[in-house]
Amino acid sequence: MDRTSLIAELNSRGLRGETVAGPLYKRLAQALTGLIQEGLLKPGAALPSERDLSEALEVGRVTVRAAYRDLLNAGTLDSKHGSGTFVSNKVERMEQSLWRLNSFSADMRSRGRVPAAKILARGVSAPSPEEAFLLGLQLDEPVLRLDRLRFADGLPLAIERSVVPVKFLNEDAAGEGSLYDALAAKGHRPVRAVQRLSAVTLDPSSATALEVKPGAPALLIERISRLDDQRVVEYTRSHYRGDAYDFVAELRIGDDYE
């Protein structure tokens, strides 16, 4: 977002006026937070100096300083000596249970976050021999391939590469929404899955999409989901940002433990 667009957005969010409650610096901090959560201000984006922003918004410099201070204390912004103020690249870590089958969209909504997706690739083709084996298909049975970049509050968190038999979901029925919702709408709701986790590093292309440095740590999750009748309905490989997720599991001690 360039400076002109930033100023226009901030002015449109009711920073001034007696009908808007709260100190002006608080309203400015809330407006900036909103732009970050909506993905309009990206991680690492530079913000105007205190003087430039105060002049552009026609508010006191102390107001901008107080708003920046609040966001710096909250970890939303970073200050680099001699360089300026930037949107933080830090990500609030989230815990994800290994024992619960849930879609990315449903999980983010349960956390009060806004999920979104960007389609990177979508098409129908024949399965590879490995995919045919995992999905229980013949080599001539077509599959839908859906590669998506998944966001929460505008921040990219994961790259999902899903393979689904076309007999369960065709190309037109899959898009930016929940894959599980799309399957359920066709009467093919997954009920159980097996996941395998591996620690990996991101290649340059994946790192660019996730807005981290090449070679950054990530979690590779391979998931095979089944229907109630045990047929495999989905095979997905996902790369999750290593700085965003902790996957946890509850373990019970067996009766034979000594």
Side-chain angles (χ1 to χ4, degrees):
M1 175 178 282
D2 59 31
R3 180 179 179 278
T4 301
S5 299
L6 173 62
I7 301 306
E9 279 289 341
L10 291 174
N11 277 321
S12 72
R13 297 186 180 224
L15 294 181
R16 290 130 86 66
E18 296 180 0
T19 60
V20 182
L24 185 55
Y25 81 91
K26 286 287 187 183
R27 301 204 298 269
L28 176 56
Q30 290 167 1
L32 287 167
T33 299
L35 293 176
I36 293 169
Q37 291 177 341
E38 294 164 23
L40 297 176
L41 276 175
K42 303 291 186 182
L47 294 180
S49 67
E50 292 177 4
R51 183 179 66 182
D52 286 349
L53 191 57
S54 66
E55 291 177 354
L57 295 175
E58 298 181 358
V59 299
R61 186 169 176 176
V62 66
T63 296
V64 178
R65 181 179 300 126
Y68 278 5
R69 183 187 63 235
D70 269 16
L71 297 179
L72 287 166
N73 291 338
T76 306
L77 300 181
D78 284 331
S79 179
K80 300 178 182 179
H81 183 70
S83 298
T85 304
F86 301 83
V87 178
S88 176
N89 279 308
K90 299 184 180 72
V91 179
E92 180 183 351
R93 297 188 70 86
M94 294 176 284
E95 286 192 354
Q96 174 69 46
S97 172
L98 289 174
W99 299 111
R100 183 179 181 186
L101 179 59
N102 207 357
S103 71
F104 180 93
S105 299
D107 182 44
M108 290 302 108
R109 284 194 291 266
S110 72
R111 301 173 189 271
R113 301 192 174 202
V114 179
K118 176 183 178 182
I119 297 176
L120 303 176
R122 177 172 56 183
V124 173
S125 64
S128 68
E130 178 188 11
E131 292 166 347
F133 174 76
L134 292 172
L135 293 167
L137 300 175
Q138 300 296 321
L139 288 173
D140 60 353
E141 292 187 76
V143 296
L144 167 67
R145 300 183 187 281
L146 182 62
D147 296 355
R148 300 185 297 173
L149 182 61
R150 306 308 306 268
F151 298 84
D153 294 336
L155 185 69
L157 293 182
I159 298 173
E160 293 181 345
R161 297 180 173 90
S162 302
V163 183
V164 179
V166 168
K167 63 185 178 182
F168 297 132
L169 194 68
N170 58 39
E171 185 174 357
D172 294 336
E176 296 179 351
S178 167
L179 179 61
Y180 282 6
D181 286 349
L183 285 166
K186 294 291 185 178
H188 305 301
R189 178 179 175 271
V191 297
R192 59 185 293 265
V194 174
Q195 293 192 145
R196 175 176 295 182
L197 278 70
S198 305
V200 298
T201 57
L202 292 170
D203 60 64
S205 176
S206 297
T208 297
L210 291 172
E211 299 180 2
V212 295
K213 295 180 179 179
L219 288 170
L220 169 61
I221 301 178
E222 296 180 274
R223 182 174 66 244
I224 298 174
S225 302
R226 295 181 182 270
L227 301 173
D228 193 45
D229 62 8
Q230 301 307 311
R231 287 182 297 169
V232 177
V233 69
E234 170 217 16
Y235 171 53
T236 293
R237 288 170 52 90
S238 302
H239 286 85
Y240 283 78
R241 286 177 53 159
D243 62 346
Y245 273 89
D246 290 316
F247 285 82
V248 297
E250 179 182 355
L251 304 178
R252 294 184 181 275
I253 297 177
D255 295 335
D256 57 349
Y257 177 79
E258 295 182 1

CSV table of all heavy atoms in Angstrom, one decimal, residues 34-69:
chain,number,residue,atom,x,y,z
A,34,GLY,N,-6.4,-2.6,11.9
A,34,GLY,CA,-7.4,-3.1,10.9
A,34,GLY,C,-6.8,-3.3,9.6
A,34,GLY,O,-7.1,-4.3,8.9
A,35,LEU,N,-6.0,-2.4,9.1
A,35,LEU,CA,-5.4,-2.5,7.8
A,35,LEU,C,-4.4,-3.7,7.8
A,35,LEU,O,-4.3,-4.3,6.7
A,35,LEU,CB,-4.6,-1.2,7.5
A,35,LEU,CG,-5.5,0.1,7.3
A,35,LEU,CD1,-4.6,1.3,7.0
A,35,LEU,CD2,-6.4,-0.1,6.1
A,36,ILE,N,-3.7,-3.9,8.9
A,36,ILE,CA,-2.8,-5.1,8.9
A,36,ILE,C,-3.6,-6.4,8.9
A,36,ILE,O,-3.3,-7.3,8.2
A,36,ILE,CB,-1.9,-5.0,10.2
A,36,ILE,CG1,-1.0,-3.7,10.1
A,36,ILE,CG2,-1.1,-6.2,10.4
A,36,ILE,CD1,-0.3,-3.4,11.4
A,37,GLN,N,-4.7,-6.5,9.7
A,37,GLN,CA,-5.4,-7.7,9.8
A,37,GLN,C,-6.1,-8.0,8.5
A,37,GLN,O,-6.3,-9.2,8.1
A,37,GLN,CB,-6.5,-7.6,10.9
A,37,GLN,CG,-5.9,-7.6,12.3
A,37,GLN,CD,-6.9,-7.4,13.4
A,37,GLN,OE1,-8.0,-6.9,13.2
A,37,GLN,NE2,-6.5,-7.8,14.6
A,38,GLU,N,-6.5,-7.0,7.7
A,38,GLU,CA,-7.2,-7.2,6.5
A,38,GLU,C,-6.2,-7.5,5.3
A,38,GLU,O,-6.6,-7.7,4.2
A,38,GLU,CB,-8.0,-6.0,6.1
A,38,GLU,CG,-9.2,-5.8,7.1
A,38,GLU,CD,-9.8,-4.4,7.0
A,38,GLU,OE1,-9.6,-3.7,5.9
A,38,GLU,OE2,-10.4,-4.0,8.0
A,39,GLY,N,-4.9,-7.4,5.6
A,39,GLY,CA,-3.9,-7.7,4.6
A,39,GLY,C,-3.6,-6.5,3.7
A,39,GLY,O,-2.8,-6.7,2.7
A,40,LEU,N,-4.1,-5.4,4.0
A,40,LEU,CA,-3.8,-4.2,3.2
A,40,LEU,C,-2.4,-3.6,3.5
A,40,LEU,O,-1.7,-3.1,2.7
A,40,LEU,CB,-4.8,-3.1,3.4
A,40,LEU,CG,-6.3,-3.5,3.0
A,40,LEU,CD1,-7.3,-2.4,3.3
A,40,LEU,CD2,-6.3,-3.8,1.5
A,41,LEU,N,-2.0,-3.8,4.8
A,41,LEU,CA,-0.6,-3.5,5.2
A,41,LEU,C,0.1,-4.8,5.4
A,41,LEU,O,-0.2,-5.6,6.3
A,41,LEU,CB,-0.6,-2.6,6.4
A,41,LEU,CG,-0.7,-1.1,6.2
A,41,LEU,CD1,-0.8,-0.4,7.6
A,41,LEU,CD2,0.4,-0.5,5.4
A,42,LYS,N,1.1,-5.2,4.6
A,42,LYS,CA,1.7,-6.4,4.6
A,42,LYS,C,2.9,-6.5,5.7
A,42,LYS,O,3.4,-5.4,6.0
A,42,LYS,CB,2.3,-6.8,3.3
A,42,LYS,CG,1.3,-6.8,2.1
A,42,LYS,CD,0.3,-8.0,2.3
A,42,LYS,CE,-0.6,-8.1,1.1
A,42,LYS,NZ,-1.6,-9.2,1.2
A,43,PRO,N,3.2,-7.7,6.2
A,43,PRO,CA,4.4,-7.8,7.1
A,43,PRO,C,5.6,-7.2,6.4
A,43,PRO,O,5.9,-7.5,5.3
A,43,PRO,CB,4.5,-9.3,7.3
A,43,PRO,CG,3.1,-9.8,7.1
A,43,PRO,CD,2.5,-9.0,6.1
A,44,GLY,N,6.3,-6.4,7.2
A,44,GLY,CA,7.5,-5.8,6.6
A,44,GLY,C,7.3,-4.4,5.9
A,44,GLY,O,8.3,-3.7,5.6
A,45,ALA,N,6.0,-4.0,5.8
A,45,ALA,CA,5.7,-2.8,5.1
A,45,ALA,C,6.2,-1.6,5.9
A,45,ALA,O,6.0,-1.6,7.2
A,45,ALA,CB,4.2,-2.7,4.8
A,46,ALA,N,6.8,-0.6,5.3
A,46,ALA,CA,7.3,0.6,6.0
A,46,ALA,C,6.1,1.6,6.2
A,46,ALA,O,5.3,1.8,5.3
A,46,ALA,CB,8.4,1.3,5.2
A,47,LEU,N,6.1,2.2,7.4
A,47,LEU,CA,5.1,3.2,7.7
A,47,LEU,C,5.7,4.6,7.6
A,47,LEU,O,6.9,4.7,7.8
A,47,LEU,CB,4.5,3.0,9.1
A,47,LEU,CG,3.7,1.7,9.3
A,47,LEU,CD1,3.2,1.6,10.7
A,47,LEU,CD2,2.5,1.6,8.3
A,48,PRO,N,4.9,5.6,7.4
A,48,PRO,CA,5.4,7.0,7.3
A,48,PRO,C,6.0,7.4,8.7
A,48,PRO,O,5.7,6.8,9.7
A,48,PRO,CB,4.2,7.8,7.0
A,48,PRO,CG,3.2,6.9,6.4
A,48,PRO,CD,3.4,5.6,7.1
A,49,SER,N,6.9,8.3,8.6
A,49,SER,CA,7.5,8.8,9.9
A,49,SER,C,6.4,9.5,10.7
A,49,SER,O,5.3,9.8,10.2
A,49,SER,CB,8.6,9.8,9.6
A,49,SER,OG,8.1,11.0,9.0
A,50,GLU,N,6.7,9.7,12.0
A,50,GLU,CA,5.7,10.4,12.8
A,50,GLU,C,5.3,11.8,12.2
A,50,GLU,O,4.1,12.1,12.2
A,50,GLU,CB,6.3,10.6,14.2
A,50,GLU,CG,6.4,9.3,15.0
A,50,GLU,CD,7.1,9.5,16.3
A,50,GLU,OE1,7.3,10.7,16.7
A,50,GLU,OE2,7.4,8.5,17.0
A,51,ARG,N,6.3,12.5,11.8
A,51,ARG,CA,6.0,13.8,11.2
A,51,ARG,C,5.2,13.8,10.0
A,51,ARG,O,4.2,14.5,9.8
A,51,ARG,CB,7.4,14.6,11.0
A,51,ARG,CG,7.2,16.0,10.5
A,51,ARG,CD,8.5,16.7,10.2
A,51,ARG,NE,9.2,16.1,9.1
A,51,ARG,CZ,10.4,16.5,8.7
A,51,ARG,NH1,11.0,17.5,9.3
A,51,ARG,NH2,11.0,15.9,7.7
A,52,ASP,N,5.6,12.9,9.0
A,52,ASP,CA,4.9,12.8,7.8
A,52,ASP,C,3.4,12.4,8.0
A,52,ASP,O,2.5,12.9,7.3
A,52,ASP,CB,5.6,11.8,6.8
A,52,ASP,CG,6.9,12.3,6.3
A,52,ASP,OD1,7.1,13.6,6.4
A,52,ASP,OD2,7.6,11.6,5.7
A,53,LEU,N,3.2,11.4,8.9
A,53,LEU,CA,1.8,10.9,9.1
A,53,LEU,C,1.0,12.0,9.8
A,53,LEU,O,-0.2,12.1,9.5
A,53,LEU,CB,1.9,9.6,9.9
A,53,LEU,CG,0.5,8.9,10.0
A,53,LEU,CD1,0.0,8.6,8.6
A,53,LEU,CD2,0.6,7.6,10.8
A,54,SER,N,1.6,12.7,10.8
A,54,SER,CA,0.8,13.7,11.5
A,54,SER,C,0.4,14.8,10.5
A,54,SER,O,-0.7,15.3,10.6
A,54,SER,CB,1.7,14.2,12.7
A,54,SER,OG,2.8,14.9,12.2
A,55,GLU,N,1.3,15.2,9.6
A,55,GLU,CA,1.0,16.3,8.7
A,55,GLU,C,-0.1,15.8,7.7
A,55,GLU,O,-1.0,16.6,7.4
A,55,GLU,CB,2.3,16.7,8.0
A,55,GLU,CG,3.3,17.4,8.8
A,55,GLU,CD,4.5,17.8,8.1
A,55,GLU,OE1,4.7,17.4,6.9
A,55,GLU,OE2,5.4,18.5,8.7
A,56,ALA,N,0.1,14.6,7.2
A,56,ALA,CA,-0.9,14.1,6.2
A,56,ALA,C,-2.3,13.9,6.8
A,56,ALA,O,-3.3,14.2,6.2
A,56,ALA,CB,-0.4,12.7,5.7
A,57,LEU,N,-2.4,13.5,8.1
A,57,LEU,CA,-3.7,13.3,8.8
A,57,LEU,C,-4.2,14.6,9.5
A,57,LEU,O,-5.3,14.6,10.0
A,57,LEU,CB,-3.6,12.2,9.8
A,57,LEU,CG,-3.3,10.8,9.2
A,57,LEU,CD1,-3.1,9.8,10.3
A,57,LEU,CD2,-4.4,10.3,8.3
A,58,GLU,N,-3.3,15.6,9.5
A,58,GLU,CA,-3.6,16.8,10.2
A,58,GLU,C,-3.9,16.6,11.7
A,58,GLU,O,-4.9,17.0,12.2
A,58,GLU,CB,-4.8,17.6,9.5
A,58,GLU,CG,-4.4,18.0,8.1
A,58,GLU,CD,-5.6,18.7,7.4
A,58,GLU,OE1,-6.6,18.9,8.1
A,58,GLU,OE2,-5.4,19.2,6.3
A,59,VAL,N,-3.1,15.8,12.3
A,59,VAL,CA,-3.2,15.5,13.8
A,59,VAL,C,-1.8,15.8,14.4
A,59,VAL,O,-0.8,16.0,13.7
A,59,VAL,CB,-3.6,14.1,14.0
A,59,VAL,CG1,-4.9,13.7,13.4
A,59,VAL,CG2,-2.5,13.1,13.5
A,60,GLY,N,-1.8,15.9,15.7
A,60,GLY,CA,-0.6,16.2,16.4
A,60,GLY,C,0.4,15.1,16.3
A,60,GLY,O,0.1,13.9,16.2
A,61,ARG,N,1.7,15.4,16.3
A,61,ARG,CA,2.7,14.4,16.2
A,61,ARG,C,2.7,13.5,17.4
A,61,ARG,O,3.0,12.3,17.3
A,61,ARG,CB,4.1,15.1,16.1
A,61,ARG,CG,5.2,14.1,15.8
A,61,ARG,CD,6.5,14.9,15.4
A,61,ARG,NE,7.6,14.0,15.2
A,61,ARG,CZ,8.8,14.4,14.8
A,61,ARG,NH1,9.0,15.6,14.5
A,61,ARG,NH2,9.8,13.5,14.7
A,62,VAL,N,2.3,14.1,18.6
A,62,VAL,CA,2.2,13.3,19.8
A,62,VAL,C,1.2,12.2,19.6
A,62,VAL,O,1.3,11.1,20.2
A,62,VAL,CB,2.0,14.1,21.0
A,62,VAL,CG1,0.6,14.8,20.9
A,62,VAL,CG2,2.1,13.3,22.3
A,63,THR,N,0.1,12.4,18.9
A,63,THR,CA,-0.9,11.4,18.6
A,63,THR,C,-0.3,10.2,17.8
A,63,THR,O,-0.6,9.1,18.2
A,63,THR,CB,-2.1,12.1,17.8
A,63,THR,OG1,-2.7,13.1,18.6
A,63,THR,CG2,-3.1,11.0,17.5
A,64,VAL,N,0.4,10.5,16.8
A,64,VAL,CA,1.0,9.5,16.0
A,64,VAL,C,2.0,8.7,16.8
A,64,VAL,O,2.1,7.5,16.8
A,64,VAL,CB,1.7,10.0,14.7
A,64,VAL,CG1,2.3,8.9,13.9
A,64,VAL,CG2,0.6,10.7,13.9
A,65,ARG,N,2.8,9.4,17.6
A,65,ARG,CA,3.8,8.8,18.5
A,65,ARG,C,3.2,7.8,19.5
A,65,ARG,O,3.6,6.7,19.7
A,65,ARG,CB,4.6,9.8,19.2
A,65,ARG,CG,5.7,9.2,20.1
A,65,ARG,CD,6.6,10.3,20.8
A,65,ARG,NE,7.2,11.1,19.8
A,65,ARG,CZ,7.1,12.5,19.8
A,65,ARG,NH1,6.4,13.1,20.7
A,65,ARG,NH2,7.7,13.2,18.9
A,66,ALA,N,2.1,8.2,20.1
A,66,ALA,CA,1.4,7.4,21.0
A,66,ALA,C,0.8,6.2,20.4
A,66,ALA,O,0.8,5.0,20.9
A,66,ALA,CB,0.3,8.2,21.7
A,67,ALA,N,0.2,6.3,19.1
A,67,ALA,CA,-0.4,5.2,18.4
A,67,ALA,C,0.7,4.2,18.0
A,67,ALA,O,0.6,3.0,18.2
A,67,ALA,CB,-1.1,5.7,17.2
A,68,TYR,N,1.8,4.7,17.5
A,68,TYR,CA,3.0,3.8,17.2
A,68,TYR,C,3.5,3.1,18.4
A,68,TYR,O,3.8,1.9,18.4
A,68,TYR,CB,4.1,4.6,16.5
A,68,TYR,CG,3.9,4.9,15.1
A,68,TYR,CD1,2.8,4.6,14.4
A,68,TYR,CD2,4.9,5.6,14.3
A,68,TYR,CE1,2.6,4.8,13.0
A,68,TYR,CE2,4.8,5.8,13.0
A,68,TYR,CZ,3.6,5.5,12.3
A,68,TYR,OH,3.5,5.7,11.0
A,69,ARG,N,3.6,3.8,19.6
A,69,ARG,CA,4.1,3.2,20.8
A,69,ARG,C,3.2,2.1,21.2
A,69,ARG,O,3.7,1.0,21.6
A,69,ARG,CB,4.1,4.3,21.9
A,69,ARG,CG,4.7,3.7,23.2
A,69,ARG,CD,4.6,4.7,24.4
A,69,ARG,NE,3.2,5.0,24.6
A,69,ARG,CZ,2.7,6.2,24.6
A,69,ARG,NH1,3.4,7.3,24.4
A,69,ARG,NH2,1.4,6.4,24.9
